[in-house]
């Protein structure tokens, strides 16, 4: 796993593709989720109007972020919630550690939060001798395996039932070879029940934060967020500032879009609204920037902050489905991760915008109408101009430009290429040609289209 994270996308995808049967299963499973989404969408005649409404609400939020954040803070404080501001992941982690220590705790239960993955909170707290238990079933599975989630909504989608069974046998003592989902789920339920009952501190993410009320909403299918925070003395909610929406009435738009886009459900099983701590409880909200202000200031890329983390773009993406989440070496994988990650570190994530066919399917299914495939293309331009693209690609593109500018050179190159493919195929059919590693080279045509056209024109 750690080895994969050090590879660029192409090399990590090559590793993933060594197990062809598993790749096919991964591809088909995610496409099944995509088709569920399509069936759910087809039942809503006003779907496109909902998408447009959500997009415009988010546009308003991005354009008025300063005022909305101040309004949210004032209302939350009035409700008895403590607000913390974090400039980056390090500050976010330090704030949460301080809250845990002030509560006199050394253990915490955590529901799903991609922000904490982005900030590497689990490892940070573990290094500080704070035990963290992820209560989302998929997150708990990958946590026991020492892996990050490979998907925003389905963290363990890269694992088969047999692999999950083996993990549970090793960590929970289930029967060796057991793969029955009901049996394994019950084992996880019993394991987590003790965790819920004994943790004084619980952390959740935030799906939507409402400026008008100072409250926030957490959406889950397992009820683990509710179980954790209702039994804990301290509730910490971690959110990127882009989670802000102006008014409570806007929730109806997003809640109709989120679950249908993510899993094809009409609505998430639990949409929990938090407005104030219960008597005797502390409630903290940590609002994080971590590069979001910089992204907000990029006109070509600010729309990426509309994302509601539904993962519809992952489920539809042909590259993600056949390369796996770990090939993206980023907390958020897939097309949306490929336009968010370069903002955090251009050099480290320069390969990700190229992990796309630019087919546009991601933009077509996005419930808030992010122009994902356009941003992927624009990031490629930015990265090449900034010098983060591979030198070989720069040289190749300059050579190609020279050839394409000259009809004479173009025809000559085509003639040479056809001859090489016909008489010396070994020069291109070898391991040095990345295209050939996954495909067969085409049969060379007898003549170019230009030659064919000239000959037929004469005839």
């Amino acid at each position: 796993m750690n080895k994969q994270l050090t590879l660029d996308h192409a090399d990590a995808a090559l590793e993933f593709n060594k197990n062809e049967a598993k790749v096919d299963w991964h591809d088909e499973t995610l496409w099944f989720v995509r088709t569920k989404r399509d069936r759910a969408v087809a039942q809503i005649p006003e779907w496109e109007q909902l998408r447009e409404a959500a997009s415009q609400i988010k546009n308003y939020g991005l354009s008025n972020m300063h005022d909305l954040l101040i309004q949210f803070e004032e209302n939350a404080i009035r409700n008895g919630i403590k607000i913390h501001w974090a400039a980056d992941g390090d500050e976010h982690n330090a704030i949460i550690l301080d809250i845990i220590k002030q509560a006199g705790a050394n253990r915490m239960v955590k529901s799903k939060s991609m922000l904490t993955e982005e900030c590497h909170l689990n490892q940070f707290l573990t290094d500080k001798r704070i035990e963290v238990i992820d209560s989302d079933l998929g997150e708990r599975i990958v946590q026991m395996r020492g892996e990050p989630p490979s998907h925003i909504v389905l963290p363990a989608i890269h694992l088969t039932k047999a692999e999950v069974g083996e993990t549970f046998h090793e960590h929970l003592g289930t029967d060796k070879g057991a793969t029955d989902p009901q049996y394994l789920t019950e084992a996880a339920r019993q394991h987590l029940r003790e965790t819920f009952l004994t943790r004084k501190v619980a952390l959740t993410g935030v799906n939507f934060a409402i400026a008008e009320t100072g409250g926030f909403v957490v959406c889950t299918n397992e009820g683990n967020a509710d179980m954790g925070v209702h039994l804990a003395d301290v509730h910490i909610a971690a959110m990127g500032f882009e989670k802000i929406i102006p008014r409570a009435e806007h929730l109806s738009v997003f809640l109709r879009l989120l679950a249908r886009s993510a899993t094809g459900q009409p609505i998430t099983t639990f949409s929990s609204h938090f407005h104030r701590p219960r008597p005797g409880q502390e409630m903290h909200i940590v609002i994080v920037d971590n590069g979001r202000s910089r992204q907000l200031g990029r006109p070509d890329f600010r729309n990426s902050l509309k994302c509601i983390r539904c993962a519809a773009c992952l489920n539809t993406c042909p590259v993600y489905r056949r390369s796996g989440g770990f090939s993206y070496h980023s907390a958020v994988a897939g097309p949306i991760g490929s336009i968010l990650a370069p903002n955090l570190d251009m050099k480290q994530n320069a390969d990700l915008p190229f992990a796309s066919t630019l087919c546009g399917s991601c933009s077509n299914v996005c419930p808030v109408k992010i122009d994902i495939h356009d941003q992927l293309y624009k990031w490629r331009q930015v990265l090449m101009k900034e010098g983060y693209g591979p030198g070989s690609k720069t040289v190749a593109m300059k050579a190609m430009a020279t050839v394409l500018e000259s009809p004479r050179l173009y025809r000559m190159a085509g003639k040479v290429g056809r001859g090489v493919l016909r008489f010396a195929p070994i020069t291109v059919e070898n391991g040095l040609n990345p295209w050939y590693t996954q495909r067969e080279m085409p049969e060379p045509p007898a003549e170019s289209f230009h030659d064919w056209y000239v000959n037929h024109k004469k005839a």
Side-chain angles (χ1 to χ4, degrees):
M1 175 58 214
N2 291 333
K3 179 185 175 185
Q4 271 197 321
L5 285 173
T6 65
L7 301 176
D8 69 14
H9 182 273
D11 291 335
L14 197 61
E15 286 291 316
F16 184 74
N17 273 266
K18 287 180 178 178
N19 188 338
E20 187 173 347
K22 191 171 183 179
V23 171
D24 290 342
W25 168 82
H26 188 266
D27 181 21
E28 291 164 6
T29 302
L30 287 166
W31 186 250
F32 169 73
V33 179
R34 161 67 205 268
T35 58
K36 281 183 64 184
R37 174 258 178 208
D38 292 347
R39 289 194 295 272
V41 166
Q43 297 172 10
I44 308 296
E46 65 274 23
W47 182 257
E48 288 305 318
Q49 288 90 334
L50 285 171
R51 290 182 72 213
E52 182 62 25
S55 180
Q56 292 304 325
I57 292 167
K58 283 288 189 176
N59 271 337
Y60 178 86
L62 295 177
S63 299
N64 297 274
M65 186 61 68
H66 173 76
D67 294 335
L68 292 175
L69 286 172
I70 290 176
Q71 182 185 9
F72 176 76
E73 179 184 35
E74 290 174 348
N75 287 327
I77 291 173
R78 192 176 296 118
N79 293 342
I81 302 172
K82 298 179 181 180
I83 300 294
H84 310 263
W85 299 88
D88 53 30
D90 290 341
E91 283 192 15
H92 163 270
N93 294 346
I95 289 168
I96 290 175
L97 176 63
D98 186 55
I99 295 170
I100 295 171
K101 285 184 173 179
Q102 287 185 23
N106 59 6
R107 299 188 295 178
M108 181 179 77
V109 62
K110 181 168 78 72
S111 67
K112 188 185 294 179
S113 164
M114 293 311 298
L115 175 63
T116 60
E117 294 292 338
E118 177 186 321
C119 298
H120 309 292
L121 176 67
N122 281 17
Q123 188 59 55
F124 171 82
L125 292 179
T126 300
D127 292 343
K128 301 296 182 181
R129 300 185 184 280
I130 304 294
E131 182 189 51
V132 182
I133 298 292
D134 280 298
S135 60
D136 175 89
L137 179 56
E139 294 271 356
R140 184 63 183 135
I141 291 168
V142 296
Q143 184 184 33
M144 286 190 288
R145 294 173 61 89
E147 297 174 348
S150 66
H151 188 281
I152 300 172
V153 175
L154 309 167
I157 189 64
H158 59 287
L159 299 172
T160 63
K161 287 189 292 184
E163 289 171 318
V164 173
E166 194 58 38
T167 300
F168 277 31
H169 172 67
E170 179 182 347
H171 293 274
L172 304 183
T174 56
D175 298 338
K176 187 171 180 59
T179 60
D180 177 60
Q182 187 172 352
Y183 169 71
L184 296 176
T185 303
E186 181 59 29
R189 183 180 290 114
Q190 296 303 323
H191 160 65
L192 288 171
R193 189 59 54 99
E194 183 274 337
T195 300
F196 290 130
L197 291 170
T198 57
R199 275 17 178 211
K200 293 175 62 177
V201 179
L203 183 144
T204 68
V206 172
N207 288 91
F208 306 103
I210 305 102
E212 178 185 40
T213 65
F216 59 95
V217 176
V218 180
C219 301
T220 68
N221 276 328
E222 300 170 21
N224 54 301
D226 301 75
M227 183 75 80
V229 300
H230 290 328
L231 294 172
D233 297 329
V234 180
H235 177 185
I236 306 171
M239 59 173 273
F241 68 60
E242 79 282 6
K243 298 296 183 180
I244 286 284
I245 61 173
R247 301 173 66 177
E249 67 184 76
H250 296 148
L251 279 171
S252 63
V253 175
F254 291 102
L255 292 178
R256 293 183 75 193
L257 290 165
L258 177 59
R260 287 180 172 91
S261 296
T263 59
Q265 298 169 246
I267 196 166
T268 46
T269 309
F270 297 88
S271 296
S272 306
H273 298 242
F274 298 95
H275 292 281
R276 56 184 52 82
R278 70 172 188 272
Q281 185 190 46
E282 286 183 26
M283 186 177 286
H284 301 259
I285 301 176
V286 185
I287 304 174
V288 183
D289 186 321
N290 201 38
R292 286 161 175 77
S293 292
R294 183 169 58 246
Q295 190 83 326
L296 185 61
R298 301 182 194 269
D300 286 337
F301 306 114
R302 72 195 296 269
N303 280 351
S304 62
L305 295 175
K306 292 179 181 179
C307 178
I308 60 173
R309 300 298 193 269
C310 69
C313 61
L314 283 71
N315 300 336
T316 198
C317 178
V319 176
Y320 173 85
R321 295 200 319 265
R322 298 198 67 83
S323 62
F326 294 148
S327 64
Y328 290 83
H329 56 78
S330 177
V332 179
I336 186 63
S338 296
I339 61 175
L340 292 172
N343 174 62
L344 295 174
D345 189 326
M346 282 196 199
K347 183 177 180 181
Q348 181 179 340
N349 300 303
D351 57 314
L352 298 184
F354 295 91
S356 170
T357 64
L358 301 182
C359 67
S361 187
C362 50
S363 302
N364 290 340
V365 300
C366 177
V368 289
K369 302 182 78 169
I370 302 172
D371 53 337
I372 301 175
H373 72 293
D374 286 336
Q375 292 191 38
L376 287 166
Y377 174 66
K378 289 173 182 176
W379 265 121
R380 294 180 185 186
Q381 295 175 308
V382 170
L383 292 164
M384 294 303 289
K385 284 179 182 176
E386 295 292 329
Y388 292 113
S392 57
K393 183 168 287 188
T394 302
V395 172
M397 294 305 290
K398 286 182 178 178
M400 185 179 289
T402 302
V403 171
L404 295 177
E405 285 172 350
S406 168
R408 194 172 172 184
L409 276 176
Y410 178 76
R411 287 195 289 271
M412 185 188 302
K415 194 171 184 178
V416 170
R418 291 192 299 276
V420 167
L421 282 171
R422 188 176 296 115
F423 301 112
I426 188 63
T427 56
V428 289
E429 294 180 358
N430 58 65
L432 298 176
N433 179 5
W435 181 270
Y436 181 69
T437 58
Q438 296 292 328
R439 307 168 183 85
E440 293 181 358
M441 297 302 292
E443 283 288 324
E447 57 185 350
S448 68
F449 173 77
H450 177 270
D451 292 340
W452 176 89
Y453 180 79
V454 169
N455 293 335
H456 280 68
K457 190 176 180 183
K458 289 177 181 177

